[in-house]
Amino acid sequence: MGTLQAVKGMNDVLGEETPRWQRLEARFRERTALYGYEEVRTPIVEPTALFLRSIGETTDIVEKEMYTFADKGDATLTLRPEGTASAVRAYLEHTVYAKQPVTKWTYTGAMFRRERPAKGRYRQFHQAGAEVYGDPGPYVDAEMIDMIVAFLADIGIRDIEVLVNSLGGPETRPAYTTALVAYLSPLRASLCGDCQRRIDTNPLRVLDCKVEHDRAVAAQAPSVVEFLTPADKEHFDNLQRTLDALGTPYRVEPRLVRGLDYYTRTLFEVKGRGGGLGAQDTVCGGGRYDGLVEQLGGQSTPAIGFAMGIERLLMMMEQPVAQPNIDVFIIAASPAELVEATKIARDLRQGGVRTDADLRGQSMKSQMRRADKSGARLALVVGSDEVTRSVVQLKDLIEKTQTEVPRADLLPRVRATLALVEAK
C-alpha cells in the first residue's frame, strides 16, 4: 500500500509555516477588537438546507461546489462553503437579536468548495470574516471597509484596490435584472454555456464571468447605478461620502457583483496586486444582506459582512525574519540526569520561558547539534556533578560563553539574559 496523501486541494500547514498564520490571525483579532467585535465559532458541518436557502440554488457554489453528504440518519449535511449563513443561523437560533440592538461578530476558520485547485484557490481554504446585524448603514458599511484597509496595512499589505458598488434594494434589483436580460438575450448565442443558462436563472452572475469574451459583453451592459431608487442612491452616496471623509481609497465599479444571491445595496471587493495571485487576485469581498435574516426565518434585520481568504493574504504578506520557537534547550549529560532535566524544563516553562529538551538519552554531541539547530539562544547543561552541587551550566549559543548558575537563581538569570538580548 502506497503512502497516503492529503485530498487534492486540501493542504497541510506545517510547523515552520504556522507562525505566519498565527501572526495574521492575531492582527485580525486585535484590529477588529478595536471596533467592538466579538468572536463567534460555528460548526464546520451544517444542514444542507441552510445553504440552499441562503446562498441560492442557482449559484455555482450550490450547483457545483458544495461537499454534501447523508449522515447515518435521514439528514443531509454540508461542509460549510462560506461563513455568513452559519453566523445568521447562530444569530437566530440563540435569539441574539433580543439581547442587543447591534451585534458585531468576527470569525476565522476552514471553508470547503470543490473548485478546480489553482494558485490561491483551494478545496479546503480558510477565511477571516466579520458580520454586523442591526445597523442599516451606510456609515457602518464605510467603517467596515476602512477597517479592512487598516487590517491589511497591519500585516504589511498596502498595494490594494478597493472596488465598491450598489445592487440596490427590493425595487432596484428587479428593474435592473429586467434591463440586463433585455441586453443579454440577443447576445445569448455568443456567450459561454454557463452564461447562457444564467440569463434565465441568475442574470447578475453573467457580469462575474471569467471568460474573456463574456467579460467584454458584460463591460457594455447597463449599469445598476442608473437604476437605483432615490433611497438606494442616497445610501450609496453617503457610503462614498463617508469613505472620502475617512480618506479610504476606493473606486466605483458598476459591474461588480458577488457570487451569492443574498447581497443587497452595498457591495465591495479588495484586490491585491502582489503575491503572484494572477486571476485569483480578490483577497476580500463582502456587502449588505439586509434580507437574509428574514429569509432564514427571523425578523427583518439589516446586516453587512465580509470574508477574506487567509491563504491569499499570506501570499501577499512579506516573509518575516524567522523567529525561534524556543528560548532554552536543556542538555542532560547522561540518562541519569534526565529526571533533573525534566524538572528544570518544567520550572522554566512555568516561569514563561519557552523550553525544550531531548529526553531520549542521546549523546552530548547529538544534543548540542539539536540545540544549535533549534534556534534557542541558551543551552543548559546538566551533569552528575551539577546535580550534586545544585547548579547548571548556562551556555549562550550566540556569544559562545558559558557560566555556572545556582539552580535557585536559574529562572531570574535566564529571564534577565533573554531580556537583554531582546533589548539589543
Side-chain angles (χ1 to χ4, degrees):
M1 182 177 178
T3 302
L4 293 174
Q5 297 183 337
V7 176
K8 185 177 182 180
M10 300 185 182
N11 302 318
D12 300 308
V13 180
L14 303 181
E16 62 267 24
E17 302 173 74
T18 53
R20 301 183 71 229
W21 287 71
Q22 292 165 347
R23 174 175 169 248
L24 185 153
E25 292 165 355
R27 294 291 184 274
F28 181 72
R29 293 186 177 98
E30 290 166 5
R31 173 57 61 176
T32 54
L34 294 175
Y35 291 72
Y37 286 81
E38 299 175 319
E39 186 177 13
V40 64
R41 301 191 182 198
T42 60
I44 289 176
V45 178
E46 295 274 11
T48 301
L50 173 64
F51 303 114
L52 296 179
R53 291 172 61 183
S54 60
I55 297 175
E57 294 189 38
T58 60
T59 60
D60 286 353
I61 293 175
V62 169
E63 288 186 334
K64 303 176 182 179
E65 299 168 3
M66 291 203 315
Y67 283 96
T68 297
F69 59 95
D71 71 359
K72 292 185 178 180
D74 297 327
T76 301
L77 305 177
T78 295
L79 297 176
R80 62 186 183 195
E82 56 96 39
T84 295
S86 294
V88 173
R89 192 266 311 145
Y91 178 76
L92 291 174
E93 182 175 340
H94 301 283
T95 61
V96 179
Y97 52 85
K99 302 170 186 175
Q100 50 196 25
V102 176
T103 298
K104 292 182 172 183
W105 278 348
T106 65
Y107 62 85
T108 57
M111 311 293 164
F112 303 84
R113 297 182 192 176
R114 200 183 189 284
E115 297 184 284
R116 185 189 299 260
K119 187 171 185 178
R121 183 176 65 192
Y122 308 99
R123 291 176 173 175
Q124 176 179 308
F125 56 100
H126 298 78
Q127 289 186 338
E131 320 288 343
V132 177
Y133 304 103
D135 189 328
Y139 311 104
V140 72
D141 303 13
E143 182 183 75
M144 177 174 282
I145 294 170
D146 186 65
M147 179 180 74
I148 293 166
V149 173
F151 162 69
L152 294 176
D154 291 342
I155 59 174
I157 299 176
R158 293 178 175 82
D159 191 9
I160 60 173
E161 182 179 30
V162 179
L163 309 179
V164 300
N165 192 24
S166 175
L167 284 181
E171 296 178 25
T172 292
R173 188 159 179 162
Y176 176 61
T177 300
T178 298
L180 183 59
V181 170
Y183 166 75
L184 292 172
S185 293
L187 305 171
R188 181 191 296 262
S190 70
L191 301 176
C192 72
D194 282 341
C195 284
Q196 291 182 30
R197 176 176 49 81
R198 288 167 180 158
I199 292 175
D200 300 319
T201 60
N202 195 348
L204 292 180
R205 295 289 289 119
V206 176
L207 302 179
D208 197 35
C209 184
K210 300 301 185 288
V211 176
E212 196 61 38
H213 172 268
D214 294 9
R215 289 169 65 89
V217 170
Q220 301 301 316
S223 168
V224 65
V225 175
E226 300 168 4
F227 291 82
L228 296 177
T229 65
D232 290 339
K233 185 176 185 305
E234 180 182 13
H235 186 281
F236 194 41
D237 288 345
N238 282 332
L239 167 68
Q240 296 175 70
R241 188 174 299 115
T242 308
L243 288 173
D244 291 336
L246 292 171
T248 306
Y250 69 94
R251 175 169 65 84
V252 175
E253 175 46 74
R255 296 340 186 253
L256 174 64
V257 296
R258 301 288 300 155
L260 310 178
D261 280 355
Y262 52 60
Y263 284 116
T264 59
R265 285 192 166 174
T266 300
L267 287 177
F268 58 87
E269 280 188 357
V270 180
K271 295 184 177 292
R273 299 190 178 98
L277 288 171
Q280 312 303 322
D281 61 349
T282 299
V283 296
C284 176
R288 284 210 152 265
Y289 50 95
D290 292 340
L292 183 56
V293 175
E294 185 175 13
Q295 184 179 328
L296 292 180
Q299 298 178 341
S300 179
T301 304
I304 184 171
F306 71 86
M308 55 180 65
I310 291 179
E311 286 89 347
R312 295 185 186 185
L313 292 177
L314 289 169
M315 290 181 185
M316 296 178 64
M317 286 173 59
E318 294 181 359
Q319 288 284 352
V321 177
Q323 297 294 324
N325 292 321
I326 62 169
D327 300 309
V328 175
F329 197 96
I330 300 176
I331 297 170
S334 73
E337 287 76 55
L338 288 176
V339 171
E340 184 65 17
T342 304
K343 289 170 58 181
I344 293 172
R346 188 274 314 273
D347 292 345
L348 290 176
R349 290 164 182 154
Q350 288 183 338
V353 178
R354 300 178 302 170
T355 305
D356 199 2
D358 192 329
L359 303 177
R360 300 174 299 166
Q362 300 291 296
S363 69
M364 285 275 290
K365 186 176 181 180
S366 173
Q367 292 180 75
M368 282 302 303
R369 281 200 302 267
R370 187 171 172 196
D372 287 333
K373 290 181 179 180
S374 73
R377 178 65 187 231
L378 303 176
L380 301 179
V381 180
V382 185
S384 60
D385 181 56
E386 282 79 15
V387 173
T388 300
R389 295 188 296 115
S390 194
V391 298
V392 296
Q393 301 298 327
L394 176 64
K395 286 178 171 286
D396 188 316
L397 297 175
I398 303 299
E399 299 293 337
K400 306 300 182 184
T401 60
Q402 179 170 321
T403 309
E404 187 172 280
V405 179
R407 178 76 172 80
D409 298 336
L410 181 59
L411 179 57
R413 181 66 173 271
V414 167
R415 282 175 168 172
T417 303
L418 294 174
L420 287 173
V421 170
E422 290 181 3
K424 289 183 178 180

